[in-house]
Amino acid sequence: MKALVTEEDLEAINTLARSELTEEQIYTFAVRLCDNEVDRDFERFPRASLEALAKLFVGKSGIFDHVWSAQGQAARLYKTEVVEEPGQTTGAGDPACWLKGYAYMVRTEANQDLIAEIEGGIKKEISVGCAVNRSTCSICGSIAGSCGHRRGQTYDGRLCFFNLEEPSDAYEWSFVAVPAQRKAGVVKTMKQPAQTERIRRAKARLELERARF
């Protein structure tokens, strides 16, 4: 699950770090933060909300069980992107997509067990903490709670859920036991063979040297 660290990744990470970090000093991994499917709480993020959250979550901390404590800060997001799932649709009927976050940790003796648990698939499920400006009813479009429709209930064959719209802030993302979003969690990342990456970096250095003369 460890992601390949590119020069662009290191640059993004070092904009957040106080001192220059090297590839050997960090551990990186990718997470599925949230998607546009209806979750266990009968809420969902429309795509526009995921795109707004992508900007808000850069730089945010990864903690545990949404406990806001500096002692629990374990990782930090250095970039995000909205990923499409071709050919798949949500329960709401729109194209499926999700918000992917790229996180880093500084390798220390204290977090070696956590890294091992992430790699072993023990620490996996993820939940996000954020704020939205409004929530609307999927049945009538009214502000959630202002109509007679109740989320989780079915009306004329249509499931009622709330659309979480206009995100205003992203607080944190947490390792949890049971996330509201069923698929949220650490995702596997394809690794390039070490030899391929060394060749790529050698070519990049060669191009840089050529540009100097």
Side-chain angles (χ1 to χ4, degrees), residues 53-140:
L53 287 171
K55 299 176 182 178
L56 294 172
F57 265 110
V58 174
K60 295 304 188 292
S61 292
I63 56 178
F64 299 92
D65 298 314
H66 299 298
V67 177
W68 293 8
S69 168
Q71 207 168 24
Q73 288 178 296
R76 195 171 295 275
L77 295 176
Y78 63 90
K79 71 176 180 179
T80 59
E81 63 176 327
V82 175
V83 178
E84 298 181 355
E85 295 189 308
Q88 298 189 37
T89 58
T90 68
D94 50 358
C97 60
W98 51 284
L99 179 57
K100 184 176 185 177
Y102 297 82
Y104 81 96
M105 302 165 56
V106 178
R107 291 181 180 273
T108 65
E109 289 187 11
N111 65 20
Q112 288 307 300
D113 287 344
L114 174 57
I115 292 173
E117 289 178 332
I118 292 173
E119 286 290 306
I122 305 302
K123 287 291 189 297
K124 181 178 180 181
E125 289 75 17
I126 297 293
S127 177
V128 297
C130 63
V132 298
N133 285 328
R134 68 173 191 166
S135 178
T136 59
C137 172
S138 66
I139 302 297
C140 64

Side-chain angles (χ1 to χ4, degrees), residues 153-169:
Q153 300 296 312
T154 301
Y155 299 88
D156 296 324
R158 296 172 59 197
L159 176 67
C160 178
F161 55 85
F162 293 164
N163 287 300
L164 305 177
E165 302 173 347
E166 301 175 8
S168 58
D169 199 0

Side-chain angles (χ1 to χ4, degrees), residues 68 157 174 195:
W68 293 8
S174 290
Q195 182 67 22

